[in-house]
Amino acid sequence: MNIVEGVLNHNRLALAKAITAVENEYDNAVEIMTALYPHTGNAYVIGITGPPGAGKSTLTDKLAKEFRKRGKTVGIIAVDPTSPFSGGAILGDRIRMLDLSSDEGIFVRSMATRGSLGGLSQKAGDAVKLMDAFGFDIIIIETVGVGQSEVDIVKTADTTMVVVIPGMGDDIQAIKAGILEIGDLFTINKADREGTDKLNIEIEMMLELNPEHVSWRPPINRTIASKGEGIEAVVDSIEDHQKYLTESGEIVKIRKARIKNEVTAMLNDKVNRYIDKNVVSTDEFDALVEKLQARDIEPYSVVNDIVGKVLK
Amino acid sequence: MSNIRVLVAKPGLDGHDRGAKVVARALRDAGFEVIYTGIRLTPEQIAEAALQDDVKVVALSLLSGAHNTLFPKVVELLKEKGLNDVLVIGGGVIPDADIPGLKAAGIAEVFTPGTPTSAIVDFINANVK
């Protein structure tokens, strides 16, 4: 099977294989991405993040169904953490999205965070492009917003939604968490719980303090995702945000910044790997380290020398 | 970095998921990426999830007695979708007499109660291409 042609012809197995190739850095990954890159840039990308247990998967499931009602096809990338102890992972987002698998207009892919080598955000970004080339209208990336790499992923979305729930601590928690700054919209899930009004006020106040929200004020929606309540309003808000980005021209800036970030990350990755292989892993480098340890030389000129040689 | 991806699923009308969860956890601890899909799935849902997540192994757990119908159905649907090299294994309260029939239907191995989880891990490591 030709994977590139398969993806372009909406073959789901080809898409699955292409994502695996990228994720595992198979030899054909670069070839696939190179051939498909010209076919990307058409999908609208939504990032969903929030603390564990906030209901992101359930919400994603319901949002996907609402987008389908509105005639859109949806690709979903659900990220769960890899165990730092065994390297294994339990990817459980699919439990909340089971009936999506009977819809041809939806494709769900689970991804583990794995190690940081190569960068999850880069691989997730490539998975987004593959779904984009396949032809999905909407792509949702869902991830726990606790680490830098996870935040990096959602930051690259066109619209980023932060999901919060009542009862997670006082407003200082909300401020220090840091993920609240990246929300283009907020959803208070499990909104039938005590503390919803208070949480709403706290988010309002936090938004008030942020001077960036002049032309777009992030809306705060309330949902009970398990019962499907409040979902339409969230999709309305996403569409409002998309309209705002398009009409204000912000979308062009966001996407330019995304491409710049991506290419910078690719460059850094390539250079890192080159240095790992050709500098750090050599006997020569070991000898340098020993000289440094004996204080025969100092590291600043060593680094300058090496960079001079590598980048010439 | 290449991790073996395993789908752990319970087909049919059977809500007893303790065994499947124990296996899922053991596979995670062995370094596999486990896609856990939960209970009461149709064979079609399982096959489609296996396709989308491009797993190397589908591990089916069933305690309801319907294994002779549901396990082969999953294998059949996987083949229909072009997933010819997926290793399908099964577990649960399965009578010894049924095991040869299941193997003939494409289930690579059947693990019955009392099997140490390490036996499942070893089997996967030895048989995934």
Side-chain angles (χ1 to χ4, degrees):
Chain A
M1 175 178 60
N2 181 315
I3 290 182
V4 171
E5 275 174 33
V7 171
L8 292 175
N9 290 318
H10 311 297
N11 180 312
R12 300 161 78 81
L13 185 56
L15 176 60
K17 295 285 178 202
I19 297 174
T20 301
V22 164
E23 206 181 13
N24 290 346
E25 302 181 7
Y26 289 161
D27 292 340
N28 58 350
V30 173
E31 189 189 318
I32 293 170
M33 291 310 301
T34 308
L36 289 175
Y37 193 82
H39 301 275
T40 63
N42 304 310
Y44 193 78
V45 184
I46 300 163
I48 298 183
T49 190
K56 296 179 294 297
S57 303
T58 309
L59 205 52
T60 301
D61 172 68
K62 299 292 192 290
L63 292 176
K65 283 173 189 153
E66 181 61 27
F67 275 117
R68 291 294 292 140
K69 270 191 211 157
R70 300 185 188 195
K72 303 275 171 59
T73 56
V74 187
I76 297 169
I77 298 163
V79 182
D80 264 337
T82 291
S83 158
F85 302 106
S86 69
I90 292 192
L91 311 174
D93 294 311
R94 206 175 256 287
I95 300 174
R96 324 278 174 219
M97 305 181 192
L98 281 174
D99 38 344
L100 299 185
S101 64
S102 47
D103 182 344
E104 290 249 320
I106 291 180
F107 190 100
V108 183
R109 181 62 177 237
S110 321
M111 272 182 119
T113 50
R114 299 195 181 175
S116 57
L117 185 74
L120 169 66
S121 47
Q122 194 182 326
K123 287 174 184 175
D126 283 347
V128 167
K129 288 195 203 77
L130 291 166
M131 288 186 171
D132 189 349
F134 184 94
F136 286 107
D137 302 317
I138 304 281
I139 296 165
I140 301 177
I141 315 180
E142 182 234 302
T143 174
V144 173
V146 286
Q148 188 58 47
S149 62
E150 284 93 335
V151 172
D152 281 347
I153 299 168
V154 290
K155 267 203 303 200
T156 61
D158 296 317
T159 295
T160 300
M161 178 168 94
V162 174
V163 184
V164 286
I165 46 173
M168 293 283 285
D170 61 14
D171 52 343
I172 295 299
Q173 294 295 342
I175 296 169
K176 82 174 176 194
I179 56 169
L180 292 186
E181 283 87 336
I182 62 174
D184 298 308
L185 44 128
F186 291 86
T187 298
I188 303 177
N189 192 32
K190 310 189 186 181
D192 50 348
R193 285 193 181 178
E194 195 188 321
T196 299
D197 290 336
K198 186 165 170 277
L199 179 59
N200 203 326
I201 293 168
E202 283 166 5
I203 298 170
E204 287 279 0
M205 284 174 63
M206 195 253 335
L207 293 177
E208 210 63 57
L209 293 171
N210 192 336
E212 278 176 30
H213 299 132
V214 182
S215 44
W216 171 259
R217 169 79 182 218
I220 305 168
N221 290 295
R222 296 183 181 194
T223 55
I224 307 169
S226 57
K227 294 182 189 162
E229 288 177 25
I231 303 301
E232 287 172 25
V234 175
V235 175
D236 288 345
S237 289
I238 292 170
E239 289 179 348
D240 286 346
H241 187 240
Q242 180 178 12
K243 195 161 167 248
Y244 155 76
L245 290 178
T246 313
E247 286 174 359
S248 64
E250 278 292 316
I251 190 100
V252 181
K253 285 189 214 161
I254 289 180
R255 290 187 170 178
K256 189 178 169 191
R258 184 197 301 168
I259 291 170
K260 194 173 172 183
N261 281 339
E262 270 173 11
V263 178
T264 309
M266 284 167 75
L267 271 171
N268 283 334
D269 183 51
K270 193 122 196 172
V271 171
N272 274 338
R273 284 171 197 241
Y274 182 86
I275 290 176
D276 261 344
K277 191 173 162 227
N278 297 296
V279 180
V280 179
S281 316
T282 59
D283 295 340
E284 208 180 326
F285 192 72
D286 255 354
L288 277 176
V289 172
E290 275 168 26
K291 278 192 200 165
L292 282 166
Q293 199 175 8
R295 300 297 187 274
D296 291 341
I297 51 173
E298 40 74 35
Y300 310 98
S301 27
V302 169
V303 169
N304 274 337
D305 278 357
I306 294 175
V307 170
K309 274 182 214 155
V310 169
L311 293 182
K312 79 170 183 301
Chain B
M1 190 168 164
S2 177
N3 292 38
I4 295 178
R5 288 162 71 89
V6 184
L7 186 82
V8 175
K10 288 188 64 69
L13 299 173
D14 167 17
H16 301 277
D17 58 358
R18 178 63 61 88
K21 281 178 174 158
V22 168
V23 170
R25 170 104 195 247
L27 297 180
R28 183 201 71 176
D29 290 342
F32 301 142
E33 285 179 3
V34 180
I35 290 105
Y36 188 77
T37 52
I39 56 176
R40 300 198 182 98
L41 302 175
T42 64
E44 173 59 36
Q45 284 174 321
I46 294 171
E48 183 61 25
L51 179 147
Q52 293 181 8
D53 268 321
D54 195 22
V55 294
K56 291 258 190 268
V57 184
V58 172
L60 301 169
S61 161
L62 198 57
L63 309 175
S64 73
H67 47 266
N68 285 336
T69 315
L70 293 171
F71 284 7
K73 184 73 186 166
V74 171
V75 174
E76 187 186 310
L77 288 171
L78 288 171
K79 294 226 163 89
E80 230 170 70
K81 289 175 185 288
L83 302 170
N84 297 312
D85 51 357
V86 172
L87 184 73
V88 183
I89 56 178
V93 281
I94 291 161
D96 288 344
D98 290 350
I99 293 176
L102 290 173
K103 286 192 173 171
I107 311 297
E109 188 55 273
V110 177
F111 300 95
T112 51
T115 307
T117 52
S118 58
I120 304 171
V121 170
D122 292 344
F123 184 83
I124 291 174
N125 276 324
N127 289 282
V128 165
K129 285 155 222 153

